[in-house]
Amino acid sequence: MRLMKQIWEKAKTDKKTIVLAEGEEERNLKAGEKITKNGLANVIMVGNIDVIKEKVSKLNVDLTGVTLVDPQTSDKLEKYAHEFYELRKKKGITPDKANKIVRDPLYFATMMVKLGDADGLVSGSIHTTGDLLRPGLQIVKTAPGTSVVSSIFMMEVPNCDLGDNGFLLFSDCAVNPVPNTEQLAAIAISTAETAKSLCGMDPKVAMLSFSTKGSAQHENVDKVREATKLAKQMQPDLKIDGELQLDASLIQEVANLKAPGSPVAGKANVLIFPELQAGNIGYKLVQRFAKAEAIGPICQGFAKPINDLSRGCSSDDIVNVVAVTAVQAQAAK
Ligand code: ACO
């Protein structure tokens, strides 16, 4: 992806510390070497140090410059357990439970980010999206001014003139199963912000539906229409319109017929899906049928960056997600 080169260069300008919570896993070990050699981030790998060292020697990986941390023996364990207890005692967590929970590498790595021992977290090569997000949602929580953590996919479609010459952001395709009106508005605003800060885009946000400007009546359409109105109230300068069908969002001739005069229709480069099933199916359709490159899910809305990996990811995918996380960490400071 063209943008990734710029993201790598930006990551190098102000090196951040990123923790990989699945430090015993082979693709993560290879990624740790590549990230360090390319100067993209300072890397911390979480796991059993003997297991990591054995795999490093078997794989012939060079982890010079990478910090290894074992949650079971770390001198930070007591502090993390205490802080986790303080954060979650209202939810029924006892000191004893907190001590057990923070030994889990995902919780331990999330506490590192919360307490500033790392600037961002990348995980998910052997865990589900939910396994990774839950500690993040419980511990790091949302950034000020945002009520919702959501996600984007950067989509680059070859030989395509839709969006920005085939480059578009899709959201939310990975986190919120059924966003309500307020959440949908928040997802649109977060995605526009990510489009500017991470991708250098001038966002034109289409709020997708099966209806364009009242062509169909349904409570699901009302939700999209109301979320659009709310997002406009929250950010009057935002170029956003809805509800719009996909063709009206992307193709000027259709927009001229269905949504004349719209500042977005026909030229949208940010697509907001009304709920997760549509979003998840939608990005995979474009990825498979149009052979688009899909980078994500990249999370947005966390107080500090946390990003997920696909379980089918390669070590190069991990390197790219770490570069993205490092750039998000630069913006989060
Ligand atoms: N933004 C902010 N806070 C949130 C969000 C959100 N989107 N979702 C939940 N929370 C908060 C809750 O309010 C709660 O806070 P509290 O405990 O301090 O009161 C906390 O996070 C944990 O909430 P839970 O109810 O325990 O978590 P939940 O069971 O709702 O799970 C999750 C949240 C993991 C994001 C869930 O919605 C989920 O599994 N989403 C789908 C993930 C998925 O499978 N995606 C598809 C695959 S990805 C792919 O194909 C690329």
Side-chain angles (χ1 to χ4, degrees):
M1 183 173 283
R2 284 166 278 174
L3 181 66
M4 203 42 78
K5 196 162 178 281
Q6 290 167 32
I7 289 177
W8 274 44
E9 291 313 311
K10 187 136 194 269
K12 290 180 199 172
T13 59
D14 175 16
K15 239 164 112 179
K16 295 293 171 187
T17 299
I18 306 299
V19 55
L20 296 175
E22 295 157 337
E24 296 172 20
E25 199 277 334
E26 295 188 0
R27 290 162 295 171
N28 283 266
L29 292 169
K30 289 180 187 160
E33 177 182 23
K34 196 163 176 187
I35 296 157
T36 309
K37 288 210 166 130
N38 283 282
L40 298 174
N42 303 312
V43 177
I44 301 173
M45 311 212 59
V46 173
N48 179 296
I49 292 175
D50 290 337
V51 173
I52 293 178
K53 285 189 172 160
E54 197 187 309
K55 291 201 175 164
V56 161
S57 119
K58 190 181 108 197
L59 296 167
N60 200 20
V61 168
D62 177 8
L63 286 192
T64 308
V66 172
T67 306
L68 307 182
V69 179
D70 185 343
Q72 312 305 325
T73 56
S74 165
D75 57 7
K76 297 277 172 79
L77 194 59
E78 204 178 314
K79 182 178 171 196
Y80 289 180
H82 175 71
E83 291 293 334
F84 182 70
Y85 164 68
E86 288 295 329
L87 281 169
R88 302 299 293 172
K89 61 186 175 190
K90 285 194 187 126
K91 299 281 173 178
I93 293 293
T94 61
D96 195 38
K97 272 191 194 160
N99 191 282
K100 286 197 183 93
I101 289 171
V102 295
R103 286 168 190 269
D104 177 307
L106 278 179
Y107 275 85
F108 187 88
T110 311
M111 287 305 300
M112 292 185 95
V113 175
K114 172 73 181 175
L115 297 184
D117 294 324
D119 300 308
L121 161 66
V122 172
S123 189
S125 60
I126 52 173
H127 288 90
T128 65
T129 301
D131 287 342
L132 167 73
L133 291 177
R134 226 166 260 116
L137 294 168
Q138 292 173 0
I139 296 168
V140 169
K141 297 191 174 286
T142 52
T146 314
S147 58
V148 182
V149 168
S150 59
S151 70
I152 58 135
F153 273 87
M154 297 193 273
M155 305 294 297
E156 190 167 75
V157 189
N159 307 314
C160 172
D161 58 1
L162 303 178
D164 290 348
N165 291 318
F167 185 84
L168 298 103
L169 297 193
F170 286 13
S171 183
D172 178 7
C173 307
V175 179
N176 295 278
V178 190
N180 62 26
T181 305
E182 290 72 26
Q183 289 168 331
L184 196 55
I187 290 168
I189 287 173
S190 286
T191 309
E193 183 50 41
T194 300
K196 283 188 258 180
S197 63
L198 185 67
C199 309
M201 298 164 76
D202 173 19
K204 294 177 264 309
V205 183
M207 303 291 277
L208 297 182
S209 172
F210 60 85
S211 166
T212 299
K213 301 282 178 185
S215 64
Q217 304 301 324
H218 191 276
E219 60 188 291
N220 290 353
V221 176
D222 294 341
K223 180 177 85 170
V224 178
R225 202 175 296 144
E226 280 158 24
T228 309
K229 200 167 138 198
L230 188 57
K232 272 186 194 156
Q233 279 166 7
M234 291 161 79
Q235 291 223 341
D237 295 338
L238 185 61
K239 286 177 206 153
I240 183 169
D241 205 3
E243 84 286 5
L244 294 171
Q245 286 162 288
L246 185 81
D247 54 354
S249 304
L250 294 175
I251 297 162
Q252 195 60 58
E253 294 74 38
V254 182
N256 293 343
L257 290 171
K258 293 187 174 182
S262 165
V264 168
K267 38 193 165 292
N269 54 12
V270 172
L271 302 182
I272 304 298
F273 291 85
E275 52 93 43
L276 187 53
Q277 297 204 67
N280 194 270
I281 294 165
Y283 100 80
K284 288 182 191 219
L285 281 173
V286 177
Q287 183 186 32
R288 299 292 167 181
F289 280 109
K291 306 211 180 317
E293 190 175 353
I295 293 191
I298 293 160
C299 293
Q300 54 188 9
F302 274 122
K304 294 183 179 180
I306 293 178
N307 276 313
D308 187 25
L309 297 164
S310 154
R311 277 172 290 168
C313 68
S314 65
S315 61
D316 283 345
D317 294 333
I318 300 175
V319 175
N320 283 335
V321 175
V322 166
V324 167
T325 309
V327 171
Q328 288 179 312
Q330 291 171 352
K333 69 181 177 184

